[in-house]
Amino acid sequence: ELKVEQNPLFLSMQEGKNYTIYCNYSTTSDRLYWYRQDPGKSLESLFVLLSNGAVKQEGRLMASLDTKARLSTLHITAAVHDLSATYFCAVTQGAQKLVFGQGTRLTINP
Amino acid sequence: NAGVMQNPRHLVRRRGQEARLRCSPMKGHSHVYWYRQLPEEGLKFMVYLQKENIIDESGMPKERFSAEFPKEGPSILRIQQVVRGDSAAYFCASSRTVESAKNIQYFGAGTRLSVL
C-alpha cells in the first residue's frame, strides 16, 4: 500500500527565514504534486513533478523530486505572512488516484 | 472558465437522513474524483468516475455510499442513512485527461457535511 508521509506536520517560522518541508513516499510513483490549502478552502495546485531531478520554482516556493530516494522537498525562501497555509504533497497510485500526505500546517509570524 | 463547482457548500443532516453532494467538473473535463477530508487530516480518495462509468471505487465504504456521473448533469455522491462519522469535508476534483504530463486534478471548494 502506498503511503505518503510529510514532515514536519506543524511549522511555525518568522518572516524572512528559510525552511523546507519534506515528503516521503513508500512505492514508485510517476507523478508528485504539491497543493496549498487555506482554512476552509479548497486545494490550489502549486507544482507537478514528473521526473527524477525535476525542480520547479514559483515565487518564494521551490519544489524538487528525487525518485530514487522517493523524496520531494518544498523549500520556502524568505517567508512572508501570505504563505501561511497547509501544504499537502500527493502522489499518484495507478493512473489516477492521488494519495495525500497528512499535510504541513505552516504559520509565518511577523 | 468556471472551475470545479460543488454544491451545497455546507450541508447539515440528522442521523439516518440522506446526503446528496453535487459536483460539476471544469469545462472540457470528463474525469471526476471524490475525496474525503476528516478534520486535521489529509484527503482520502473515494472514487474515480468518467461519464456514466465508475472506474475505481476502491476508497468507497462498502455500504451507504454511492456515486454516479451521468451523461448529462453533475456527478453525485450519495450517502444514505448518515451517521456522525460521516461528518467531513467532501472534495470533488476533475481532470481533462489521465496522461502523465497533463493530469492535474483541479479541486472544487468542497461540501462540508455535518451530521447531528
Side-chain angles (χ1 to χ4, degrees):
Chain A
E1 181 188 349
L2 175 59
K3 292 187 186 299
V4 181
E5 293 191 349
Q6 290 181 232
N7 74 84
L9 299 184
F10 298 92
L11 178 56
S12 181
M13 53 194 289
Q14 285 187 309
E15 280 190 327
K17 301 289 187 183
N18 303 335
Y19 211 79
T20 302
I21 300 170
Y22 297 89
C23 174
N24 287 92
Y25 52 100
S26 59
T27 63
T28 302
S29 176
D30 62 354
R31 276 167 277 168
L32 188 139
Y33 300 79
W34 283 97
Y35 285 91
R36 168 183 172 147
Q37 185 181 36
D38 291 296
K41 305 288 185 179
S42 184
L43 280 76
E44 174 191 355
S45 176
L46 296 175
F47 301 108
V48 182
L49 301 168
L50 300 176
S51 58
N52 188 42
V55 177
K56 291 195 174 179
Q57 183 164 4
E58 181 74 33
R60 300 175 188 275
L61 300 178
M62 183 174 70
S64 65
L65 178 62
D66 181 344
T67 57
K68 294 179 181 176
R70 297 183 191 142
L71 170 69
S72 179
T73 61
L74 181 66
H75 187 73
I76 303 148
T77 302
V80 294
H81 180 68
D82 287 352
L83 290 178
S84 296
T86 299
Y87 293 85
F88 291 97
C89 66
V91 298
T92 50
Q93 183 172 39
Q96 308 90 16
K97 182 190 313 184
L98 287 179
V99 180
F100 282 82
Q102 313 96 305
T104 296
R105 184 182 292 179
L106 174 64
T107 302
I108 298 169
N109 305 303
Chain B
N1 183 18
V4 179
M5 304 300 292
Q6 289 188 248
N7 69 83
R9 292 291 308 277
H10 301 274
L11 183 60
V12 179
R13 285 288 178 265
R14 297 189 180 280
R15 281 180 295 170
Q17 291 184 320
E18 178 179 287
R20 280 184 178 246
L21 289 62
R22 295 175 185 76
C23 170
S24 296
M26 286 180 70
K27 187 177 180 179
H29 289 194
S30 59
H31 303 263
V32 166
Y33 317 79
W34 285 94
Y35 294 84
R36 176 164 63 177
Q37 184 180 32
L38 295 171
E40 309 298 326
E41 293 187 13
L43 280 71
K44 298 287 193 296
F45 170 82
M46 299 182 76
V47 62
Y48 159 49
L49 310 102
Q50 291 182 35
K51 280 290 186 182
E52 299 186 273
N53 292 304
I54 296 175
I55 308 301
D56 181 351
E57 57 181 347
S58 57
M60 288 276 273
K62 294 288 186 282
E63 297 178 348
R64 303 187 296 108
F65 285 72
S66 63
E68 62 177 13
F69 188 17
K71 186 176 180 181
E72 302 290 338
S75 176
I76 306 286
L77 179 67
R78 182 182 179 205
I79 312 172
Q80 295 178 286
Q81 299 176 323
V82 296
V83 299
R84 288 212 173 112
D86 297 333
S87 296
Y90 292 83
F91 288 95
C92 170
S94 72
S95 69
R96 183 165 58 90
T97 174
V98 295
E99 293 174 37
S100 292
K102 300 174 183 177
N103 183 20
I104 296 177
Q105 294 185 21
Y106 294 90
F107 283 79
T111 294
R112 281 150 183 84
L113 173 65
S114 298
V115 179
L116 304 179

